[in-house]
């Protein structure tokens, strides 16, 4: 299936110069969403995944059904101040200023093999910070998966040697 047909380019959103990759046409199609989720599962089926971590917020949309296919739990990686219990947090640089990702301290541990899921890899800052956050618990990162990768932003370089699956790549 050609998933690129389900990604809509929105120029100058949320600010001038950015081409926003809108995934809502994909989500509207059960067949396309199910195909995407199954491909992520099949790619990592033999990786011994014990939990799926999804990055707020579009990583939740894909991460939850992927966790369901693995038959494992889902861990939300959230923006600051959203989680109610004690958290680990990891700051990262943005073009202007910093941002932060957080996770509950008891979400995972050294025996876990985690698949990190988000909708899109751009500069890689968010995904790399999520990797650092997960390492604080001693958990092993089995891989990253994205529906879309903007290859020209070289985000993969920030993710080190960890396997990356991107269903659609824009070079
Ligand atoms: P980054 O940290 O630069 O890799 O940005 C990744 C996060 O920002 C992902 O969670 C995406 O949802 C969002 N994002 C960044 N750039 C775009 C874009 N051009 N279109 C849609 N979402 C984007």
């Amino acid at each position: 299936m050609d998933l690129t047909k389900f990604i809509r380019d929105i120029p100058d959103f949320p600010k001038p110069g950015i081409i926003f990759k809108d995934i809502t046409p994909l989500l509207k199609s059960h067949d396309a969403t199910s195909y995407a989720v199954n491909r992520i599962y099949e790619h990592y089926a033999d990786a011994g995944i014990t939990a799926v971590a999804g990055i707020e917020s579009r990583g939740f949309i894909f991460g939850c059904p992927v966790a369901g296919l693995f038959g494992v739990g889902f861990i939300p990686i959230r923006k600051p101040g959203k989680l109610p219990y004690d958290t680990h947090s990891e700051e990262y640089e943005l073009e202007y200023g910093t941002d932060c990702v957080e996770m509950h301290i008891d979400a995972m541990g050294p025996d876990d093999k985690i698949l990190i899921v988000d909708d899109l890899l751009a500069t890689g800052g968010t995904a790399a910070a999520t990797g650092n956050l997960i390492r604080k618990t001693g958990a092993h990162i089995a891989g990253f998966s994205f529906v879309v990768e903007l290859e020209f932003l070289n985000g993969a370089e920030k993710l080190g040697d960890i396997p990356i699956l991107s269903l659609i790549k824009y070079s």
Side-chain angles (χ1 to χ4, degrees):
M1 185 185 288
D2 181 7
L3 289 179
T4 57
K5 290 184 193 146
F6 298 92
I7 306 294
R8 175 166 58 186
D9 281 4
I10 311 284
D12 299 320
F13 182 89
K15 54 185 181 182
I18 304 284
I19 299 175
F20 191 87
K21 297 293 183 186
D22 177 17
I23 58 159
T24 62
L26 188 146
L27 297 175
K28 198 168 76 172
S29 163
H30 174 264
D31 285 353
T33 302
S34 158
Y35 174 78
V37 163
N38 275 289
R39 274 196 57 199
I40 296 169
Y41 166 68
E42 282 161 13
H43 187 83
Y44 287 106
D46 299 325
I49 303 296
T50 63
V52 172
I55 304 176
E56 183 172 356
S57 59
R58 290 183 291 269
F60 295 176
I61 298 171
F62 297 100
C64 280
V66 168
L69 289 175
F70 279 108
V72 302
F74 175 81
I75 295 157
I77 306 297
R78 299 216 61 184
K79 299 284 162 63
K82 302 282 188 186
L83 289 168
Y85 184 57
D86 296 341
T87 56
H88 288 301
S89 56
E90 176 77 16
E91 267 199 9
Y92 60 101
E93 301 287 325
L94 295 176
E95 199 178 346
Y96 302 103
T98 60
D99 209 340
C100 182
V101 281
E102 294 189 341
M103 178 179 69
H104 276 151
I105 54 167
D106 60 355
M108 59 182 73
D111 294 337
D112 280 308
K113 288 184 94 174
I114 306 294
L115 175 63
I116 300 174
V117 175
D118 203 358
D119 67 325
L120 186 139
L121 178 65
T123 66
T126 315
T130 299
N132 291 340
L133 187 67
I134 287 174
R135 283 186 201 97
K136 290 181 185 185
T137 68
H140 175 78
I141 302 166
F144 289 93
S145 76
F146 306 95
V147 177
V148 176
E149 178 177 346
L150 305 182
E151 271 188 311
F152 53 91
L153 294 176
N154 300 319
E157 288 175 9
K158 289 206 182 89
L159 306 183
D161 293 337
I162 298 169
I164 302 172
L165 170 68
S166 301
L167 301 182
I168 305 169
K169 292 183 181 186
Y170 294 93
S171 48

